[in-house]
Amino acid sequence: MSSTDILMKPLVSVLQMLRNRVISTEELLHRTYTRINETKSLNAFVSVVEKNDNLEFCIKDDRSSILKGIPFAVKDNFSTRNISTTCASNMLRNYVPTYSATVVKKLTDAGGTLMGKTNLDEFAMGVGTVDSIIGPTRNPWQYDFQHPNPDDWYIAGGSSGGSAVAVATGASYFALGSDTGGSVRLPASFCGVVGLKPTYGSLSRHGLISLVNSMDVPGILARCVDDVVFIYNILSGNDPRDSTTVQGKVEKVVIEENPSVKDLVVGIPKQYHGPDVSPEIIDCWKWAADIFSNNGAKVVEVSLPHTQYSIVCYHVLCCGEVASNMARYDGLQYGHRSDGGFTEEMYAKSRNEGFNESVRGRITAGNYFLLRRNYRKYYEKAQKVRRLIQTDIKKVFDKGSGKNSGVDVLLAPVTVSTAPQYKTFAQKTNSYRTVEHDIYTQSANMAGVPAISVPVRLSQAKLPISLQLLASNFNEGTLLRAAKFLENASSFQHPKFDF
């Protein structure tokens, strides 16, 4: 079997091959390192774990472990013991943690093999994975590996673009990302993989370097829904190190090979029919609604009336928390320290050298919103709007008697278009890009509900089109069942890229 065939197989299939000794963990590791090298021009990895270190781990690994040496990757804003964690920023270029994030440790304890840390927008502030100290990550779709053009390629999406590309190309069977306003679902959509943003609190945030504490969640990227379910069941549950995780056990998700949707009520948010959404995405959305309806689900239109304020509300809250979280990087206790004279001079110079323009812009905006004279006008008002957005979504999922209630899942676009070309994307500011591409994703973060991006078909330009499903808090079982149904119905084919 060729490397391409085995590296693009579902995780659950490869685990069976390892159990039956059709392939060894060592051989799988060799093939994965070869793939990482073959796709180096995509710039998906910030750093790669030394091959000999991982070979030693595989030899020691117990073959009865859950993951049996399966290669995986982690976004470079999760702390990893003795492995640099940069957040793609000069501010943390030399940071080597002494511990691993809980979700990373759970995967290595289960026998997974960490291949490396993946690229992101600096401190996860972006939607393209283009603002990184190591340069942008490129989308493998419509990319000429034999004769790459430095100007003619599509963005991977962000901020977890490196993780999405690693999974899409077979350089990793699955990967961790973080999702604050769509940073897992957006790159998953652009790169044609599945991206899960779990319920806030179902996965530990311990060791995930903070961006927006009230919205950040670890997310899972894989090539199929079954693989996402498998990894979610390993990672979910309470963590004593993270007070925001759910108390008690999280129920394990089990879905059938061909799940039924006859008992589901699928909601179509009417406010998501925006004027800027690509006709191809609208057509795909209508097709999916018909598929659910034709297979017994009840499809209804629902209203989320405060959606129109959502992206502006998100921007204010995001910048406010960013300003607070980034204050710790002062060159004295944390982060890059510049050569300077007086304390104030060193402090200013360290932050100017350590943060890029996009990060400094959000800090400045956040500090403005948090000024005493502005706090009630902007930040406090945004918190009130956030509560209205949460209430809208909660009402839709509540099994009440109202016309706009009783929905099991919402079906919506992930973004307004397929992946844009870099040369077009780069002309826009970071804040404008966020407004344009996070418009349909960030509401789930403000409400804390789970959401998933599922690839459905290809556009005329042969780029992936994905759709998004949302469910109520801690209802990942229903969400993933609906996602599996949509995946089966679409029969999306992962390509064998010409490496």
Side-chain angles (χ1 to χ4, degrees):
M1 183 179 294
S2 71
S3 291
T4 299
D5 288 338
I6 196 164
L7 292 177
M8 299 301 286
K9 275 184 167 295
L11 159 66
V12 288
S13 299
V14 177
L15 283 171
Q16 190 60 48
M17 294 173 68
L18 289 167
R19 288 188 196 99
N20 296 336
R21 300 183 182 273
V22 174
I23 188 170
S24 67
T25 54
E26 294 87 347
E27 183 182 354
L28 195 61
L29 197 63
H30 282 301
R31 293 191 184 197
T32 306
Y33 273 110
T34 299
R35 178 54 46 80
I36 290 173
N37 189 57
E38 290 171 337
T39 58
K40 192 176 291 185
S41 62
L42 297 177
N43 209 28
F45 285 86
V46 174
S47 61
V48 178
V49 175
E50 287 290 336
K51 189 173 183 178
N52 287 338
D53 292 343
N54 270 338
L55 279 171
E56 184 179 349
F57 172 78
C58 282
I59 291 169
K60 289 180 178 178
D61 182 47
D62 180 6
R63 287 183 179 271
S64 66
S65 64
I66 301 171
L67 283 171
K68 301 185 184 304
I70 289 286
F72 72 98
V74 172
K75 186 176 180 179
D76 201 30
N77 60 344
F78 287 90
S79 295
T80 42
R81 184 173 181 269
N82 296 333
I83 300 172
S84 65
T85 301
T86 70
C87 285
S89 174
N90 279 320
M91 185 59 78
L92 291 179
R93 185 185 285 273
N94 299 314
Y95 173 51
V96 180
T98 57
Y99 72 101
S100 288
T102 295
V103 285
V104 176
K105 190 172 187 303
K106 281 188 173 184
L107 292 171
T108 54
D109 286 351
T113 304
L114 176 60
M115 301 303 296
K117 308 295 291 295
T118 55
N119 202 10
L120 64 153
D121 293 291
E122 182 169 325
F123 277 98
M125 296 187 209
V127 294
T129 311
V130 297
D131 295 322
S132 164
I133 55 171
I134 69 162
T137 293
R138 298 166 181 83
N139 195 322
W141 290 83
Q142 302 303 312
Y143 182 81
D144 188 344
F145 286 90
Q146 307 304 320
H147 306 94
N149 185 328
D151 301 315
D152 189 19
W153 48 273
Y154 293 87
I155 69 163
S159 61
S160 306
S163 290
V165 169
V167 171
T169 56
S172 176
Y173 281 97
F174 66 92
L176 294 182
S178 62
D179 194 311
T180 303
S183 285
V184 163
R185 289 160 288 157
L186 181 62
S189 175
F190 284 172
C191 293
V193 298
V194 179
L196 172 68
K197 172 232 170 287
T199 304
Y200 184 89
S202 62
L203 269 64
S204 173
R205 295 188 302 112
H206 173 70
L208 169 60
I209 294 174
S210 297
L211 176 64
V212 180
N213 296 21
S214 69
M215 300 185 208
D216 295 341
V217 290
I220 302 165
L221 299 104
R223 285 187 291 277
C224 65
V225 174
D226 284 341
D227 289 355
V228 168
V229 171
F230 191 89
I231 300 304
Y232 173 79
N233 285 336
I234 293 174
L235 297 179
S236 59
N238 175 258
D239 177 13
R241 297 178 180 84
D242 178 7
S243 62
T244 64
T245 50
V246 62
Q247 298 300 308
K249 290 186 177 181
V250 173
E251 188 175 337
K252 298 298 183 185
V253 174
V254 179
I255 53 175
E256 298 175 354
E257 185 63 30
N258 294 291
S260 170
V261 293
K262 289 181 179 179
D263 62 330
L264 294 187
V265 179
V266 179
I268 308 295
K270 65 180 182 180
Q271 287 83 5
Y272 283 37
H273 283 275
D276 298 326
V277 185
S278 156
E280 287 186 290
I281 291 178
I282 292 290
D283 181 67
C284 185
W285 189 15
K286 290 179 178 177
W287 168 86
D290 288 342
I291 285 292
F292 275 101
S293 179
N294 294 339
N295 282 271
K298 181 181 179 181
V299 178
V300 297
E301 185 181 72
V302 297
S303 179
L304 301 171
H306 294 93
T307 295
Q308 60 182 313
Y309 310 115
S310 183
I311 192 68
V312 177
C313 173
Y314 171 76
H315 177 69
V316 173
L317 296 177
C318 175
C319 289
E321 290 201 45
V322 162
S324 177
N325 277 324
M326 296 298 113
R328 72 193 63 176
Y329 303 110
D330 55 11
L332 292 173
Q333 295 187 69
Y334 302 108
H336 166 73
R337 181 169 185 169
S338 172
D339 294 328
F342 297 109
T343 302
E344 292 82 359
E345 180 186 354
M346 182 276 295
Y347 179 72
K349 195 174 179 182
S350 296
R351 289 170 69 81
N352 187 60
E353 292 173 356
F355 294 134
N356 70 10
E357 184 179 351
S358 296
V359 176
R360 293 198 302 271
R362 292 204 194 190
I363 292 171
T364 301
N367 282 327
Y368 177 79
F369 297 142
L370 295 176
L371 287 172
R372 181 176 296 178
R373 68 175 184 269
N374 293 332
Y375 185 85
R376 298 186 74 174
K377 182 180 178 181
Y378 294 108
Y379 196 78
E380 187 175 298
K381 186 176 289 185
Q383 289 285 23
K384 291 177 179 177
V385 174
R386 179 181 184 177
R387 175 56 62 88
L388 294 174
I389 292 166
Q390 290 174 326
T391 301
D392 285 347
I393 294 176
K394 185 177 185 298
K395 283 182 178 178
V396 165
F397 289 127
D398 279 350
K399 298 294 181 180
S401 56
K403 180 181 177 182
N404 194 42
S405 65
V407 167
D408 294 296
V409 293
L410 293 174
L411 175 66
V414 181
T415 186
V416 296
S417 69
T418 55
Q421 285 190 297
Y422 174 72
K423 56 190 176 185
T424 303
F425 185 80
Q427 295 172 3
K428 302 173 182 178
T429 64
N430 183 281
S431 58
Y432 182 85
R433 298 168 190 165
T434 301
V435 169
E436 184 178 29
H437 292 287
D438 276 351
I439 189 166
Y440 294 138
T441 52
Q442 36 70 40
S443 293
N445 297 83
M446 289 199 288
V449 300
I452 191 168
S453 172
V454 181
V456 175
R457 65 168 64 156
L458 295 183
S459 69
Q460 289 184 345
K462 305 300 181 185
L463 294 168
I465 296 176
S466 298
L467 293 173
Q468 180 180 202
L469 291 160
L470 296 82
S472 58
N473 283 336
F474 300 106
N475 200 5
E476 272 80 358
T478 298
L479 178 74
L480 290 162
R481 173 160 64 102
K484 175 70 172 177
F485 168 82
L486 182 59
E487 179 181 72
N488 288 349
S490 66
S491 300
F492 181 86
Q493 295 294 314
H494 295 281
K496 295 179 180 178
F497 297 110
D498 186 13
F499 303 117

